[in-house]
Amino acid sequence: MTIEQTLYDEAKRLVERRYPTGWGGAASIMTESGKILTSVAPDTKNDGLSLCMEVGAILEAHKLDEVVTHSTCICREDEKSPFVILTPCGICQERLVHWGGNVQAAISNVDNTLTFKSLRELQPYHWSIVNGERL
């Protein structure tokens, strides 16, 4: 099984365990050492306090001083709906850039196929270029 499929399956298992009915979403990331870290978005009463599903796993990687290599985020409308793959939002892409432009992220696509692209591919004109860097 590929890293990409393993991450998808881990996120799916977390959704099925954490949200057995109704809406559910989760993220999973892989680190350079092979650790898989998963997370969900925190439940909040005020949408202004919400965070993306990846944030918990990203923070865990920072805590463990691990280098992130891959990121996956999925959700479903309810327990009878198919899972859809979510490209990291711009803010989460910036969070993942901490580990460089080669971080692989699962992306949304019309076929909902498990496809990964590097952050460099997602952001070919990233602002870091003005500092003489390129993602």
Side-chain angles (χ1 to χ4, degrees):
M1 187 177 313
T2 65
I3 290 169
E4 294 83 359
Q5 188 64 53
T6 299
L7 288 173
Y8 180 90
D9 292 346
E10 285 294 319
K12 184 179 174 188
R13 275 193 282 281
L14 177 54
V15 170
E16 290 168 344
R17 185 176 63 248
R18 174 67 175 79
Y19 305 102
T21 60
W23 180 92
S28 60
I29 64 172
M30 169 89 50
T31 68
E32 202 170 58
S33 71
K35 283 187 175 75
I36 296 176
L37 307 172
T38 61
S39 58
V40 298
D43 297 328
T44 63
K45 303 262 187 243
N46 178 337
D47 283 344
L49 301 174
S50 65
L51 292 169
C52 299
M53 291 177 265
E54 301 99 311
V55 174
I58 290 169
L59 292 173
E60 186 74 6
H62 278 288
K63 181 183 90 176
L64 298 172
D65 198 21
E66 293 273 345
V67 174
V68 172
T69 61
H70 293 75
S71 177
T72 306
C73 189
I74 63 171
C75 72
R76 63 159 199 230
E77 287 301 315
D78 60 42
E79 68 277 8
K80 294 180 175 114
S81 299
F83 283 91
V84 294
I85 301 161
L86 303 172
T87 303
C89 74
I91 293 170
C92 283
Q93 288 181 39
E94 287 294 326
R95 290 174 176 138
L96 291 165
V97 157
H98 173 76
W99 294 285
N102 290 325
V103 172
Q104 300 290 307
I107 60 163
S108 304
N109 57 71
V110 292
D111 300 329
N112 199 42
T113 56
L114 189 56
T115 305
F116 281 69
K117 298 282 183 184
S118 71
L119 292 177
R120 187 172 288 113
E121 291 175 282
L122 295 178
Q123 295 191 36
Y125 306 103
H126 189 264
W127 60 266
S128 62
I129 200 163
V130 301
N131 297 327
E133 304 169 24
R134 185 164 189 293
L135 255 183

